[in-house]
């Protein structure tokens, strides 16, 4: 963050950079709270906060790793970019167990 802060300060005043970093820190805290509590917050999130959360989750989905072309039964394949956007880049199937959280057995 410090490198970004330094680079940002070369573009705009430091107070603006700090406000932006504070906003990111607050958003990270909301996501962390959601994961830790495993329940929806008492006060609803804005659409932007929800979209950011879904984008963060999509970044962790192996279907979206750069250069990854999985061929297992649970890898999502979406042909249309408009469909990917509509579903926030999340696409995953279920394995034979029917449990989306189950580990996928190694393909032999």
């Amino acid at each position: 963050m410090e490198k970004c802060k330094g680079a940002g300060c070369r573009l705009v005043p430091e107070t603006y950079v700090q406000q932006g970093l504070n906003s990111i820190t607050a958003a990270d805290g909301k996501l962390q709270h959601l994961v830790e509590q495993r329940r929806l917050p008492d006060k609803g999130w804005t659409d932007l906060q929800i979209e950011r959360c879904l984008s963060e989750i999509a970044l962790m989905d192996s279907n979206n790793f750069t250069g990854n072309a999985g061929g297992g039964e649970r890898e999502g394949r979406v042909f249309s970019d408009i469909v990917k956007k509509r579903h926030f880049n999340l696409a995953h199937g279920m394995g034979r167990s029917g449990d989306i959280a189950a580990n996928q057995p190694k393909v032999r």
Side-chain angles (χ1 to χ4, degrees):
M1 279 293 189
E2 284 302 315
K3 285 183 181 180
C4 292
K5 183 178 177 183
C9 289
R10 289 193 295 274
L11 300 172
V12 295
E14 185 176 354
T15 54
Y16 293 146
V17 173
Q18 193 58 54
Q19 287 174 353
L21 292 174
N22 290 345
S23 177
I24 289 171
T25 300
D28 288 345
K30 286 179 182 276
L31 180 56
Q32 183 174 349
H33 185 264
L34 176 70
V35 172
E36 288 174 354
Q37 298 298 315
R38 298 182 65 161
R39 62 188 282 277
L40 295 174
D42 293 330
K43 184 178 180 205
W45 292 3
T46 66
D47 289 349
L48 186 59
Q49 291 168 329
I50 293 168
E51 289 176 13
R52 182 181 188 263
C53 176
L54 292 171
S55 292
E56 293 284 331
I57 292 169
L59 285 170
M60 295 182 268
D61 186 344
S62 61
N63 292 323
N64 297 322
F65 292 172
T66 302
N68 189 22
E73 65 186 29
R74 287 176 42 169
E75 274 74 26
R77 295 167 191 85
V78 181
F79 177 75
S80 170
D81 284 339
I82 198 166
V83 172
K84 282 178 81 171
K85 288 177 187 173
R86 179 178 179 176
H87 295 281
F88 300 95
N89 293 307
L90 295 169
H92 227 278
M94 287 192 215
R96 290 177 289 250
S97 70
D99 181 0
I100 197 159
N103 285 331
Q104 182 176 359
K106 297 286 182 201
V107 178
R108 297 180 199 262

